[in-house]
Each structure stands twice: as C-alpha cells, then as structure tokens.
Amino acid sequence: MIFKQIRSVNASARLHSKLYSSTTHFGYRTVAQEEKEKLVRGVFSNVAENYDYMNDAMSAGIHRLWKDHFVSKIDPGRRPGGNELSFLDIAGGTGDIAYRILEHAAKEHGDFESKMIISDINPEMLGEGVKRFENTKYHSKSRQGERVSFKVQNAEVLDEIPDNSQDLYTVSFGIRNFTDIPKALSTAHRVLKPGGVFACLEFSKVTNPLLAQVYSTYSFNVIPLLGQVLVGDHDSYQYLVESIDRFPDQETFAQMIRDAGFATNGAGYENLTFGVAAIHTGVKPIV
Amino acid sequence: MIRASPRFFTVRTVQASLRSYATAHTSKSEVDLPRQILERGLQLLPEHGWDLAPATRSLGLSDQAASIFPNGKFDLLQFYLQKQTAKLASVQLKSSTPDGCVRELVHARLLANAELGPYLGEAVSMLMSPKYLPYSLEQLHNLVDEIWFLAGDKGHDATWYTRRGSLAMIYAASESFMTRDNSPNFKHTLSFCDRQLNAWSRFEAAEESVSEWFKFNAIAAFNVAKSLTR
C-alpha cells in the first residue's frame, strides 16, 4: 500500500516537474513562475468588464448552455433531512456560476439557506461579480445577500477557507490560468469535507481529428480577431486561445484530479460539444 | 455446483477489475468510493428507496457526494439490476429441460423484486422513461441472455433473437404486472408469467407447424409447376 502511494506521489511529482518547474508557461511563452500570476492578472484586469460579452461573442452563446448543464449536473442544494451546504466558487469573478448554483438550489431543492463564497484572485473580476449581484435578489442589503460572500483569494492557497469546510468546489473556465494546477487541486482537497465534490468546467481537447482542425483554425484566427474588433484587445484573447491549447487533455486532467486524492466515478469526465469543453468531477473520500 | 463461468459474469468481472485498476493503482484513495456508495445504497434500499443521499449520509459523507452519479437514482437502479442478474448464477435449478430452467430462473428473478416493496413501481417507471430506455433495454437484454445461458441454451440460429426478444417481453410484462400485485408471495404475478410462457411455447410450436406446412406446399407446387412445363 505504501509503495502504491509512493508510486502515485512520484508520478504526480514527475508530471508536476514536467509541467511546472521553476518556469511555467503563459500561453506559448515560457515565463518565471512568479511572473505568470502577474501576467494572468493583467489579462483578466483587461478583459474583466467585457468578459461575459466576449464569451458570448466567441462561443455564440454556447458557454451559457455549458454552464447551465454544468450546474444541473452537479445538482447543488440542501437535501431533505440534510444540512445546509457550503458552496465555494473559485475563479468565480463575474459570479455567473455562483448565481446559477443559488438559483438551482432554490428552484430544485427549495434551499434558501446554503452559503456561497465567491473567490477570485483578481479584484477587478470580483468587482464585476459584486456589481452584478447588486442587481439581483442577492444584493448586499437583502437577507438572501447575507448568504453570499466575496473573497479575493489565491486558489493555490485559500488561506481564508478552513480545512474540511466546503461541500462543493466549482471552478469554471478558471483552472487553466492557475500557475500551479496540482497545488490548486490539493488545496481543493484540503478545503472540501469528506464527500465534498470538486467540479470543473474547462476547455478541453476536441476528440474528432477533423473537427479539431476546424476548431483550431477558428480559435487561432477568429477569437483574437474578435477580441481586437469588439473590445480592442488582441493580446489578451491571443493568450486565452494559447492557454486553452496548452491545457492537458481530458484523461491527463482526470488523472491529476485522482493524484490530488479525489475519487472519480468511471472516467471522471464528460465531454461537451465534441470535447471543446469538458466537465470533470471528483469526490473527496473519507480521510 | 459451480457452473462453467457464465459469459455475462465473466465480462462483468473483467470490467470490475479494470475499474479497480483505474482507481486503486492511480489514486491515493484505496477504496472505490462510488462503488462503496452504491453498495450502501443497496443496503438501505428497502428503507429509503432509490435516493442516494441516505447512503452518502450514513457513510459520513457530504450530501453533495451523490452528484458524482450523473443519473442519480437511476445509477443505483442499474447497479441493483446488474447485481440481481449476476445472482441468478447461484440459483439451484431442479428442472431437466431448458424451458423448465427458464421458468425457474424467471420466477427467481421476479421474486427477488419482493424486497423492493413500494419502490418497485418507481423502478419500473424509471426504466420506462424515454431518457433511460437505451440503458433499460441493455439491462433487460443482459438479464434474458443470462437466463438462456444458465438454462443451458446453446442455440445460435436465427431463433437466438426471437427467443431473447420474447422472453424479454414476457419478463417486462410480468414485472409491470407485479407492481400492482398484492397477492401473497406474488402468486398472481407468477401465474401471469406462466401463462405468458405457455402461450409463447404454444405459439412457437404452432409457428413451426405452419412453416413446415408452407415449406411442404411450396416444394410440391414447384414440382407440379416443373412437371407441367416439361
């Protein structure tokens, strides 16, 4: 048993050093680890205001369907006879996943008690979320609003989130921007309760080679152009496309989730739209 | 006592060992947690039905854990059906004919539903729902295939399909009948099932004679035609 553990730790360390030695990548550029956080912050500060508008433009609105499916798949909400839950939405800046989770819990489970923490490393992105929530029933002066809190946090550390405290950890189109993904995964493992679920929605690899060709042509040529035309920012969108391409494929990422200590059901992921995006889930076993 | 390992069962063990390879060797967790949840769900089935939350709760897990099962309740139902099908291999058969064995096995499988009590109806309605129909049919096929195999049927002619198709229909009809059966030990269900099985073997015999008759007459007509044209 010990050997097995050592082997899996070694494997994850190898993967880790391969992907993230003292340098890391920022899109296709290789940069020092400390620098990536700053660069990513720059990108998202640039795009914060137009983030959801651009998502609509780039994906023809499909990102909304993905997000709806993501939330209905994880089916958040207090169960009959159970306790209220704690939700943690990481890289949740603009708050659209958090809002969907709260609405789903209310509509499907009559849950008006569970708590939501929205966390993002980027204060500008988080500011967008605060602004958006002010226009909903979860605004800061309402009773419902008390259930929601916003925290500027680095997902690799989450120093304000205690161990074993959360029931659900969601991260949607965020994890590929993290400097050290294995570290973020083990932090997710730390903050979740036993039985708590890690759920990630992220761009992934198109499996059909023909469609992959079409998709890569589209993403490398059209998306930076859209960024240029619609919001006057070519470079940030160039980064987005490159970072999508660099992100590990479905199987590799599922394995990284298992290496962080999560159990997966079967393969542990579901492809959306031919694998343009994928939903990965893992559950924290009893420790 | 141990029968030559049934096909279905072998396939299942191979799958199970593949899965345990995927989780146990590559993850820090030694137990297959999803399977553990499903096993506990089966233990709690007579009390709590198909809901997974009681299972996760009794294992000391967050209620949210159930969400790793994409079809929720139906995943527990599928797991239950697989287990029940696998259990048929241990039924002690008394009959000497394949038909008698089929009858015994179908009865055994139907009576296993007794423990579900009020939750059988929910199971049947889940199985019938269009969303799950492809999975339901697969489970049903596995069941009747296993029954024919255990009954010692080695036929591989065109009746392979009709035998499985007919038995599947008879089983599904009997199971639906069972949801409304209040008779002691499901007497009515078993006699309903027997009537269907008898009617089917009568039909099969009749069909055979009819096709024999047609074949004979076709050949005769051909010969007459041949003699006329000479």
Side-chain angles (χ1 to χ4, degrees):
Chain A
M1 192 187 110
I2 292 172
F3 283 115
K4 240 178 240 170
Q5 287 199 356
I6 290 174
R7 204 162 51 204
S8 82
V9 168
N10 272 346
S12 88
R14 265 201 310 278
L15 188 65
H16 184 260
S17 67
K18 205 166 96 191
L19 291 173
Y20 311 96
S21 47
S22 58
T23 58
T24 184
H25 44 77
F26 175 75
Y28 287 167
R29 287 159 59 195
T30 302
V31 296
Q33 269 199 359
E34 313 78 64
E35 212 188 332
K36 170 159 177 171
E37 199 176 304
K38 237 184 293 168
L39 289 165
V40 171
R41 183 179 302 224
V43 167
F44 282 92
S45 299
N46 289 344
V47 301
E49 218 175 314
N50 303 308
Y51 189 63
D52 280 349
Y53 166 59
M54 271 307 292
N55 284 342
D56 275 332
M58 291 186 303
S59 71
I62 289 173
H63 77 106
R64 290 172 191 272
L65 302 178
W66 289 340
K67 285 170 180 168
D68 288 342
H69 176 70
F70 178 58
V71 170
S72 72
K73 184 186 166 91
I74 53 187
D75 194 19
R78 179 181 188 164
R79 300 303 198 271
N83 298 322
E84 60 178 52
L85 304 176
S86 303
F87 305 131
L88 174 63
D89 187 29
I90 295 294
T94 58
D96 56 348
I97 292 292
Y99 183 76
R100 281 178 170 84
I101 288 175
L102 290 167
E103 288 292 290
H104 179 97
K107 274 192 198 126
E108 302 294 323
H109 300 283
D111 176 2
F112 297 95
E113 291 91 33
S114 293
K115 303 271 189 297
M116 167 66 73
I117 300 170
I118 302 173
S119 146
D120 203 299
I121 196 168
N122 189 307
E124 276 95 357
M125 288 292 279
L126 208 55
E128 289 299 312
V130 174
K131 239 196 289 181
R132 175 186 290 190
F133 268 60
E134 283 309 311
N135 298 322
T136 67
K137 63 171 173 282
Y138 304 102
H139 63 84
S140 54
K141 289 180 192 66
S142 69
R143 238 168 51 89
Q144 287 297 308
E146 283 168 16
R147 293 162 56 201
V148 183
S149 53
F150 292 88
K151 289 185 197 300
V152 176
Q153 288 276 282
N154 181 341
E156 287 157 28
V157 189
L158 295 180
D159 52 342
E160 287 182 44
I161 317 287
D163 299 0
N164 303 310
S165 64
Q166 305 298 314
D167 293 283
L168 176 65
Y169 177 115
T170 49
V171 55
S172 150
F173 301 118
I175 204 159
R176 73 174 188 284
N177 300 307
F178 295 177
T179 310
D180 188 340
I181 295 174
K183 195 171 165 198
L185 289 172
S186 53
T187 304
H189 188 269
R190 174 182 70 79
V191 300
L192 281 168
K193 294 175 189 170
V197 169
F198 168 85
C200 169
L201 172 61
E202 186 54 87
F203 290 109
S204 204
K205 296 280 181 279
V206 176
T207 39
N208 179 319
L210 196 66
L211 290 173
Q213 194 58 44
V214 175
Y215 175 62
S216 123
T217 310
Y218 168 77
S219 58
F220 280 95
N221 297 307
V222 181
I223 289 178
L225 190 69
L226 280 177
Q228 179 68 51
V229 173
L230 296 177
V231 292
D233 181 356
H234 180 279
D235 293 349
S236 295
Y237 288 94
Q238 183 69 33
Y239 162 72
L240 287 185
V241 176
E242 288 175 8
S243 68
I244 290 167
D245 195 49
R246 285 300 298 261
F247 192 67
D249 66 19
Q250 286 86 331
E251 292 290 344
T252 313
F253 186 49
Q255 189 54 46
M256 288 164 79
I257 292 168
R258 284 189 282 267
D259 287 341
F262 290 101
T264 57
N265 185 16
Y269 65 86
E270 178 196 358
N271 283 335
L272 305 176
T273 321
F274 317 111
V276 173
I279 294 173
H280 282 78
T281 50
V283 59
K284 177 173 172 177
I286 307 155
V287 272
Chain B
M1 200 206 95
I2 298 169
R3 310 174 67 95
S5 90
R7 262 173 308 174
F8 171 75
F9 207 63
T10 334
V11 170
R12 289 257 315 131
T13 8
V14 168
Q15 275 172 352
S17 65
L18 277 180
R19 193 173 312 134
S20 69
Y21 174 77
T23 40
H25 283 252
T26 49
S27 137
K28 283 183 201 168
S29 62
E30 287 291 316
V31 287
D32 185 349
L33 191 65
R35 194 182 173 88
Q36 212 182 347
I37 295 171
L38 293 174
E39 295 279 5
R40 182 59 62 93
L42 287 192
Q43 286 168 15
L44 299 176
L45 194 53
E47 267 176 274
H48 294 280
W50 304 106
D51 214 355
L52 282 163
T56 56
R57 216 170 282 159
S58 86
L59 287 168
L61 299 169
S62 161
D63 284 359
Q64 188 65 49
S67 69
I68 56 163
F69 298 101
N71 301 314
K73 289 177 171 188
F74 188 74
D75 283 340
L76 182 57
L77 175 57
Q78 267 189 299
F79 188 64
Y80 170 80
L81 295 174
Q82 282 167 6
K83 287 222 137 183
Q84 290 297 339
T85 300
K87 265 192 202 167
L88 287 180
S90 57
V91 172
Q92 300 286 332
L93 294 171
K94 294 179 206 76
S95 303
S96 49
T97 61
D99 281 3
C101 291
V102 166
R103 187 178 308 254
E104 277 182 55
L105 288 161
V106 172
H107 283 193
R109 178 62 191 87
L110 283 170
L111 287 175
N113 285 335
E115 61 161 352
L116 297 179
Y119 302 113
L120 175 64
E122 198 186 349
V124 170
S125 69
M126 270 195 276
L127 289 167
M128 300 278 190
S129 90
K131 185 177 170 194
Y132 300 132
L133 207 57
Y135 307 101
S136 312
L137 291 175
E138 191 189 330
Q139 296 288 353
L140 186 60
H141 173 262
N142 288 344
L143 173 67
V144 296
D145 193 34
E146 178 77 352
I147 288 176
W148 278 114
F149 177 78
L150 293 173
D153 172 64
K154 302 226 164 44
H156 43 70
D157 54 4
T159 60
W160 193 95
Y161 295 101
T162 53
R163 269 175 292 137
R164 276 155 186 76
S166 324
L167 187 58
M169 277 197 287
I170 291 168
Y171 180 78
S174 308
E175 206 172 51
S176 313
F177 186 94
M178 197 177 187
T179 58
R180 294 178 166 236
D181 185 5
N182 297 318
S183 60
N185 297 326
F186 297 97
K187 228 168 49 204
H188 294 335
T189 304
L190 299 186
S191 63
F192 173 83
C193 172
D194 285 348
R195 281 199 304 278
Q196 308 293 315
L197 285 170
N198 291 338
W200 175 55
S201 42
R202 270 202 308 278
F203 168 74
E204 217 187 18
E207 193 206 10
E208 221 163 273
S209 343
V210 170
S211 59
E212 274 299 308
W213 184 82
F214 270 113
K215 226 189 281 171
F216 174 79
N217 281 289
I219 294 169
F222 178 72
N223 286 333
V224 170
K226 219 161 72 169
S227 64
L228 285 179
T229 51
R230 197 161 274 189

